[in-house]
Amino acid sequence: MISRIDSKRVAVLLMVAVLMPVCSSAQSSKSPVAPRREQVQAVVQEAYDKFKNDPNGKNADYIPYLAQVPSNLFGIAIVTTDNQVLSLGDVKYSFSIQSISKVFTLALAMEELGADKVFAKVGSEPTGRPFNSPSAVVDMPSHTGNPFVNAGAIATTSLISGRDENDKWNKILAFYSKAAGENLSLIDEVYKSEAATNTGNKALSMLLAKYERIYADPFESVDIYTKQCSVGVNAVQLARMGATLANNGINPATGEQVIKPESIPHILSAMMMAGLYDGSGGWAWRVGMPAKSGVGGGIVAVAPGKGAIAVFAPPLDEAGNSVKAQEVIDYVTEKLNYNLYSPGSVGWKK
């Protein structure tokens, strides 16, 4: 016969046995490698102080609006997978997302079609050419190259379904907002400035049509693409979009599964291969983090399982990448062991 004390022990043990799977499941949904705040805060301050007065680079001037953005603006934001937010400098200034938008339109296309179909229709090969190269469209076997050169990005945008142009555009904007955890909006002045000067992208769209590698009306697709590049984000919002990728597709602020987990490795691999235009190979060599830049002055880099860093500083190098953003991310990556190709990124000690 079981005593009263023993029966209480049995009851407690049964309760623990029932609750353990629940607790384990809850714990396993959180990253085991999210950095501690104190690990990051000092490094971000060091990077800000070290590079804030770097005079190198110049604003993009082929889009009139971008040439007018104050070149001294400088902001750094980190969002971790457990939703710690660290920011410094001009992190509330809304700048145009530009080519960083390509990452999230790719993610949306994969949500609708799956990774294999998107790969078959767009591809993911570095072109070795400038991001707006017409000859790459002609010479590359896929004719699109990859989702992060302009031709491939326009083709990716053309894959998004919708009743009409407005429906497609609203779907893209809503998806970006889910990734950012806040409602984003079009910077109309940027859009008008780009729409008045986007004849090169229109030419690319017609080349794509020649090779049957665009999947909606060419000029409509270019117009939607121009709008997506003109979306305004600040550094914290952009870091949260990156952290959503780092967090297996779950927005760390809202808890919403924005992107399918199975899409994340494909997106990050494309970022590593082609995320910094003609500087992508050097970036992978030096820094080793999946990243995407935009000529608006932003770069977002992703440390899977840990979080993302976004830096905004308008002056660009010759490849079109923010000078200060590259310096900051390189510095932070080295100090915090974020380089994916380094054993230190998974805790290996020297």
Side-chain angles (χ1 to χ4, degrees):
M1 179 179 250
I2 300 175
S3 69
R4 181 179 295 179
I5 294 175
D6 288 339
S7 65
K8 286 182 179 179
R9 287 177 179 169
V10 170
V12 169
L13 289 172
L14 285 172
M15 185 177 294
V16 169
V18 169
L19 289 177
M20 275 183 64
V22 176
C23 295
S24 299
S25 175
Q27 289 170 354
S28 66
S29 67
K30 294 182 179 180
S31 169
V33 292
R36 296 190 307 275
R37 190 177 189 89
E38 57 269 23
Q39 288 179 297
V40 179
Q41 201 155 13
V43 174
V44 170
Q45 184 69 59
E46 288 170 14
Y48 183 85
D49 293 339
K50 185 177 179 66
F51 301 112
K52 65 182 177 182
N53 295 320
D54 188 331
N56 294 307
K58 66 175 185 176
N59 288 31
D61 56 11
Y62 66 93
I63 299 170
Y65 178 94
L66 299 183
Q68 300 170 13
V69 175
S71 61
N72 62 338
L73 291 170
F74 180 34
I76 306 172
I78 288 180
V79 176
T80 65
T81 52
D82 57 356
N83 200 36
Q84 301 174 68
V85 180
L86 299 96
S87 62
L88 196 61
D90 300 306
V91 295
K92 293 185 178 180
Y93 184 90
S94 184
F95 58 94
S96 58
I97 193 171
Q98 295 296 329
S99 284
I100 303 170
S101 67
K102 297 170 181 175
V103 174
F104 297 94
T105 299
L106 172 63
L108 177 57
M110 293 167 79
E111 291 295 299
E112 294 195 344
L113 298 175
D116 290 344
K117 286 186 178 179
V118 172
F119 181 80
K121 290 179 178 292
V122 179
S124 187
E125 296 296 338
T127 68
R129 314 282 179 83
F131 65 91
N132 55 359
S133 171
S135 60
V137 179
V138 176
D139 294 341
M140 293 287 290
S142 70
H143 298 298
T144 52
N146 64 70
F148 298 155
V149 293
N150 284 12
I154 293 165
T156 304
T157 299
S158 76
L159 291 172
I160 305 304
S161 64
R163 295 183 303 274
D164 53 29
E165 180 177 344
N166 284 336
D167 193 40
K168 295 176 184 180
W169 158 239
N170 288 331
K171 180 185 290 186
I172 289 170
L173 183 60
F175 187 76
Y176 290 8
S177 296
K178 286 181 181 179
E182 300 178 35
N183 289 330
L184 303 179
S185 59
L186 182 76
I187 302 177
D188 194 56
E189 192 176 350
V190 177
Y191 166 66
K192 289 177 179 176
S193 184
E194 291 202 41
T197 57
N198 67 359
T199 52
N201 283 336
K202 289 178 179 176
L204 289 177
S205 75
M206 294 309 294
L207 266 179
L208 292 172
K210 174 184 177 181
Y211 295 109
E212 298 182 344
R213 299 293 281 183
I214 194 164
Y215 309 103
D217 179 82
F219 284 6
E220 174 190 280
S221 299
V222 169
D223 190 57
I224 297 170
Y225 169 73
T226 304
K227 285 180 178 175
Q228 76 179 42
C229 289
S230 305
V231 169
V233 291
N234 62 41
V236 174
Q237 291 166 336
L238 185 57
R240 194 177 297 117
M241 295 173 84
T244 297
L245 293 168
N247 199 34
N248 215 23
I250 300 171
N251 185 310
T254 66
E256 181 178 3
Q257 184 81 54
V258 180
I259 302 168
K260 294 174 183 174
E262 58 266 30
S263 297
I264 300 298
H266 303 298
I267 296 167
L268 296 182
S269 70
M271 291 173 73
M272 185 68 85
M273 289 188 295
L276 268 78
Y277 307 122
D278 299 350
S280 298
W283 177 265
W285 178 280
R286 296 190 316 273
V287 184
M289 280 183 75
K292 187 72 192 81
S293 65
V295 294
I299 298 181
V300 62
V302 178
K306 298 177 181 178
I309 178 170
V311 183
F312 167 60
L316 312 176
D317 64 13
E318 291 184 0
N321 303 311
S322 170
V323 172
K324 287 181 185 176
Q326 291 179 83
E327 291 172 333
V328 167
I329 297 170
D330 189 354
Y331 184 86
V332 170
T333 298
E334 182 179 356
K335 292 290 185 180
L336 296 178
N337 283 317
Y338 281 176
N339 187 324
L340 295 192
Y341 301 118
S342 168
S345 69
V346 289
W348 187 275
K349 304 295 184 183
K350 292 182 180 179

